[in-house]
Amino acid sequence: MTAIDTEQDELMGLLVAVAREDRQAFQRLYEKISGRMFGLCLKLANQRDLAEEAVQDAFVQIWHHAGEYHNDRGAPLSWMLTIARYRTLDLMRARKSKQTAGDSHLEQLEDGREGPLDVSLRTAGAAQLTGCLEELSEAQRDSILLSYYRGFTHDELSEALSSPIGTVKSWIRRGLMALKRCLER
């Protein structure tokens, strides 16, 4: 049994306990994954306050829906990070409509330091993932990275990559299947 399997088993046990409204299990779950979740949200949003809000909302959802988790929804960590990812994207879309004309210069103020997600990926099998990403075609790799790490929608990807939306969806689907095969080796 690998360390990843052990962690997933522990997370599964915590989710089962959270479904029974065990507050201590919820606290342990929070302590175990909140850093990675925050890193993902921050990487997507590039805004600390939005990332913090997304993590809080995601944990509220996990508390209320832990009983709905089952193995065919993926690994426990993946399921919880997906909740956080979608919550981040929802908040980004909501705030995008509220931006003012003077907000465009704020993108130039990006903090160049390595974030929690970067550290987590580097220490948790990032070399294997990076190797697998390098095996993909450039179009597949770009589509996946822009979608998952920058939060681009299919429409935004289609525009950014100057390709039809159906083609972009195919690149993502085929790329994810190739990544899965590569990571299972």
Side-chain angles (χ1 to χ4, degrees), residues 73-113:
R73 289 190 168 184
L77 181 61
S78 298
W79 179 72
M80 291 182 281
L81 291 179
T82 299
I83 290 171
R85 179 179 178 274
Y86 283 118
R87 189 63 200 129
T88 304
L89 295 174
D90 289 345
L91 290 170
M92 287 170 61
R93 287 185 194 109
R95 290 192 183 181
K96 185 182 264 185
S97 64
K98 296 177 185 174
Q99 285 184 338
T100 64
D103 288 347
S104 60
H105 76 282
L106 293 176
E107 293 175 10
Q108 299 168 359
L109 301 177
E110 181 179 347
D111 183 356
R113 293 177 294 182

Side-chain angles (χ1 to χ4, degrees), residues 8 11 16-17 20-21 31 37 39 53 61 64 67 74 80 84-85 99 111 120 130 137 143 147 167 177:
Q8 294 298 332
L11 292 175
V16 168
R20 293 189 309 258
E21 298 184 359
E31 291 166 356
M37 187 179 286
E53 184 177 349
Q61 282 188 278
H64 290 292
M80 291 182 281
R85 179 179 178 274
Q99 285 184 338
D111 183 356
S120 178
T130 301
S137 72
S143 297
S147 175
T167 302
M177 290 187 319

Side-chain angles (χ1 to χ4, degrees), residues 2 4 120-136 141 149 178-185:
T2 67
I4 293 172
S120 178
L121 285 175
R122 190 180 64 239
T123 59
Q128 183 183 10
L129 178 60
T130 301
C132 291
L133 281 168
E134 289 172 1
E135 292 180 15
L136 299 177
R141 183 175 47 252
Y149 292 110
L179 276 177
K180 182 178 179 184
R181 283 190 305 272
C182 178
L183 291 170
E184 289 175 345
R185 285 191 252 155

Side-chain angles (χ1 to χ4, degrees), residues 140-173:
Q140 290 173 331
R141 183 175 47 252
D142 290 348
S143 297
I144 290 170
L145 292 175
L146 288 171
S147 175
Y148 284 86
Y149 292 110
R150 290 293 176 210
F152 280 36
T153 65
H154 289 128
D155 290 331
E156 291 168 334
L157 282 170
S158 176
E159 186 177 320
L161 300 173
S162 301
S163 299
I165 194 165
T167 302
V168 169
K169 287 180 178 180
S170 293
W171 288 338
I172 292 172
R173 184 175 44 79

